């Protein structure tokens, strides 16, 4: 009986992970939805259990196999982040082993073509790590349930060395500028007869941090994807090579399919909501305009030069090196035989309307065709949402796109995101 419960528990645990999964941190609509998703799960679990009990009344002996098969199938497509994609399948293990692989380069495209990438978070767990004959164990119990803030660095402290030479480290978040005392750790290990160098130790720390990265995706069509995968899988497991089935066996397999499709329905209902929200046009939170003063009338310039926020604008110019510390507002206008006018020296000072919001309408109303007067846009957004938002405006008008991501690097020490993609990954 314990064995049956174990298979059931494993299945429900996998199902729970897809709805609750790794705790995503931060603010925003997607994050809020992930929290709602875990509440949704508590409702559907009860419905599902009742339905399974009902259909198994006629075939109680099929219970163990049903849960074994459900777990075997769904565990391949469920991930710790709650994303639905090729996690691992025995037929294509060499292809679908990991989302990001270094050796099989173009696989990234095949694994992610049906996904929207949302974000990468760090989810810390206690894990063992082995390489080059060295054994480590990282105890992350103190930070497992704390906010995984990318900007906070980690500290490693040697706890003990076990009999089998496993080095056990406790992992903390850095506070008050504390850092890992690598030299002290190396001395301590030397006393315990472990002659490890600093590079190897640092590499172990980096591996632990990389292992903690979790990618969040939304499946563009979870229902079609999972149904197609189930059909392929069930054909492979049940129909191929079978000459005939008893009526009972056919009924059992029909129960398996019905329950699997019901689970797929539950999952895809929520995933479809995520897709709709991800693709919904986003509101612009705020917009500011930067306009050089040669484009503004003397009247507006007078108002700007007497504005209460002028000091903030001047401070920005000084920080950017546009004017020096000796800059005086009185020098912006000069007077000669032609009368008062803006000095040539300062005619290209940029006015940012974020400092002069109540004058913004008056500033913009000076332009008959504001759109054509602007010679540059700076958009701060998620890439996907930004591109979707500007698509109608710039469709078929873009001549060049220049992106300069760091890649083909062995180490990501300098960056808070992945840099170890190879050439073809960027191409795909």
């Amino acid at each position: 009986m314990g064995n049956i419960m174990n298979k059931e528990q494993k299945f429900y645990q996998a199902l729970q992970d897809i709805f609750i999964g790794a705790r995503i941190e931060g603010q925003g609509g997607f994050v809020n939805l992930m929290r709602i998703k875990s509440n949704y799960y508590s409702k559907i679990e009860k419905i599902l259990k009742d339905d399974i009990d009902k259909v198994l009344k006629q075939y109680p002996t099929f219970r163990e196999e049903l849960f074994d098969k459900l777990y075997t199938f769904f565990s391949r497509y469920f991930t710790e982040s709650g994303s639905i994609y090729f996690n691992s399948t025995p037929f294509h293990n060499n292809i679908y082993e990991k989302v990001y692989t270094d050796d099989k380069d173009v696989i990234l495209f095949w694994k992610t073509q049906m996904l929207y990438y949302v974000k990468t978070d760090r989810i810390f767990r206690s894990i063992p790590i082995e390489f080059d004959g060295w054994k480590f164990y990282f105890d992350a119990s103190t930070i497992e349930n704390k906010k995984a803030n990318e900007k906070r660095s980690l500290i490693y402290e040697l706890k003990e060395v076990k009999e089998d030479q496993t080095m056990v480290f406790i992992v903390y978040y850095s506070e008050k500028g504390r850092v890992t005392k690598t030299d002290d750790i190396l001395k301590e290990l030397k006393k315990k007869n472990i002659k490890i160098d600093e590079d190897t130790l640092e590499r172990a720390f980096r591996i632990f941090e990389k292992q903690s990265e979790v990618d969040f995706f939304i499946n563009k069509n979870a229902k079609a994807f999972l149904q197609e995968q189930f059909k392929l899988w069930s054909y492979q497991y049940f129909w191929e090579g079978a000459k005939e089935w008893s009526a009972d066996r056919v009924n059992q397999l029909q129960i398996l399919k019905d329950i699997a499709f019901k689970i797929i329905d539950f999952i895809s209902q929520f995933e479809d909501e995520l897709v709709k929200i991800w693709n919904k046009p986003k509101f612009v939170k705020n917009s500011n305009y930067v306009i050089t003063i040669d484009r503004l009338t003397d009247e507006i310039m007078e108002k700007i030069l007497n504005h209460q926020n002028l000091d903030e604008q001047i401070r920005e110019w000084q920080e950017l090196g546009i004017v020096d510390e000796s800059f005086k507002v009185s020098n912006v206008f000069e007077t000669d035989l032609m009368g008062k006018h803006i000095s040539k020296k300062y005619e290209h000072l940029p006015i940012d309307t974020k400092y002069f919001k109540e004058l913004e309408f008056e500033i913009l109303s000076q332009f008959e065709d504001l759109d054509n007067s602007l010679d540059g846009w700076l958009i701060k957004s998620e890439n996907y949402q930004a591109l979707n938002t500007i698509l109608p405006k710039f469709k078929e008008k873009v001549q060049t796109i220049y992106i300069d991501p760091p890649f083909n690097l062995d180490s990501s020490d300098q960056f808070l995101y992945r840099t170890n993609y190879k050439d073809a990954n960027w191409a795909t």
Side-chain angles (χ1 to χ4, degrees), residues 194-237:
I194 293 181
K195 297 180 178 73
I196 188 171
D197 61 31
E198 188 176 344
D199 286 348
T200 308
L201 194 60
E202 291 289 348
R203 186 180 162 203
F205 298 158
R206 283 202 303 272
I207 290 171
F208 167 73
E209 291 183 31
K210 295 302 279 180
Q211 290 280 337
S212 304
E213 284 184 356
V214 176
D215 297 307
F216 288 85
F217 294 97
I218 303 172
N219 196 303
K220 294 175 188 177
N221 192 343
K223 188 172 189 170
F225 169 69
L226 286 172
Q227 283 186 352
E228 181 189 32
Q229 292 304 309
F230 185 84
K231 285 169 188 169
L232 290 169
W233 175 82
S234 58
Y235 175 79
Q236 182 87 10
Y237 272 84

Side-chain angles (χ1 to χ4, degrees), residues 51-69:
D51 283 355
I52 290 174
D53 286 343
K54 204 182 293 175
V55 294
L56 283 177
K57 271 182 184 163
Q58 200 177 342
Y59 300 102
T61 57
F62 184 57
R63 188 177 196 96
E64 183 176 353
E65 189 186 350
L66 173 71
F67 281 108
D68 186 37
K69 293 286 187 278

Side-chain angles (χ1 to χ4, degrees), residues 85-86 96 99-100 106-117 217-218 220 428:
Y85 57 79
F86 297 104
Y96 298 129
V99 177
Y100 304 102
V106 189
I107 290 157
L108 178 70
F109 171 74
W110 295 109
K111 286 204 67 169
T112 57
Q113 61 165 333
M114 74 294 205
L115 305 173
Y116 292 124
Y117 166 73
F217 294 97
I218 303 172
K220 294 175 188 177
T428 54

Side-chain angles (χ1 to χ4, degrees), residues 68-284:
D68 186 37
K69 293 286 187 278
L70 288 174
Y71 175 75
T72 304
F73 172 72
F74 284 108
S75 61
R76 286 171 194 174
Y77 304 100
F78 293 176
T79 64
E80 62 185 329
S81 66
S83 308
I84 301 155
Y85 57 79
F86 297 104
N87 193 12
S88 80
T89 64
F91 331 127
H92 305 97
N93 235 11
N94 59 330
I95 295 182
Y96 298 129
E97 195 54 31
K98 285 172 80 178
V99 177
Y100 304 102
T101 57
D102 291 335
D103 51 341
K104 301 207 179 296
D105 212 19
V106 189
I107 290 157
L108 178 70
F109 171 74
W110 295 109
K111 286 204 67 169
T112 57
Q113 61 165 333
M114 74 294 205
L115 305 173
Y116 292 124
Y117 166 73
V118 177
K119 67 179 287 189
T120 298
D121 222 335
R122 296 200 301 179
I123 313 291
F124 294 113
R125 289 194 190 85
S126 301
I127 51 168
I129 286 169
E130 286 187 39
F131 65 88
D132 297 349
W134 300 105
K135 288 197 230 174
F136 303 86
Y137 183 81
F138 291 94
D139 178 354
S141 55
T142 60
I143 56 172
E144 273 177 355
N145 299 315
K146 290 186 182 174
K147 188 169 169 18
N149 187 331
E150 287 288 5
K151 292 186 177 68
R152 291 176 71 182
S153 52
L154 299 176
I155 293 179
Y156 300 91
E157 199 174 276
L158 183 66
K159 183 185 177 186
E160 61 176 323
V161 177
K162 295 196 168 173
E163 280 182 28
D164 67 351
Q165 301 285 282
T166 298
M167 292 163 263
V168 180
F169 288 89
I170 302 174
V171 189
Y172 302 98
Y173 276 131
S174 171
E175 280 168 16
K176 296 177 183 167
R178 284 174 61 216
V179 294
T180 301
K181 295 176 179 169
T182 312
D183 289 347
D184 292 355
I185 292 170
L186 291 169
K187 283 176 196 162
E188 192 63 31
L189 288 171
K190 201 172 179 183
K191 280 185 205 167
K192 296 179 190 293
N193 233 11
I194 293 181
K195 297 180 178 73
I196 188 171
D197 61 31
E198 188 176 344
D199 286 348
T200 308
L201 194 60
E202 291 289 348
R203 186 180 162 203
F205 298 158
R206 283 202 303 272
I207 290 171
F208 167 73
E209 291 183 31
K210 295 302 279 180
Q211 290 280 337
S212 304
E213 284 184 356
V214 176
D215 297 307
F216 288 85
F217 294 97
I218 303 172
N219 196 303
K220 294 175 188 177
N221 192 343
K223 188 172 189 170
F225 169 69
L226 286 172
Q227 283 186 352
E228 181 189 32
Q229 292 304 309
F230 185 84
K231 285 169 188 169
L232 290 169
W233 175 82
S234 58
Y235 175 79
Q236 182 87 10
Y237 272 84
F238 303 125
W239 309 122
E240 198 179 46
K243 299 226 170 18
E244 57 187 77
W245 294 103
S246 67
D248 279 352
R249 186 60 176 160
V250 170
N251 289 341
Q252 287 172 357
L253 296 178
Q254 189 60 48
I255 286 169
L256 172 63
K257 185 186 174 187
D258 290 346
I259 295 295
F261 273 46
K262 182 168 283 232
I263 293 163
I264 290 168
D265 280 345
F266 280 139
I267 292 164
S268 55
Q269 275 170 19
F270 205 94
E271 200 75 5
D272 288 350
E273 287 304 310
L274 290 180
V275 171
K276 281 180 199 163
I277 284 156
W278 191 245
N279 283 325
K280 192 175 182 179
K282 301 297 182 279
F283 292 108
V284 175

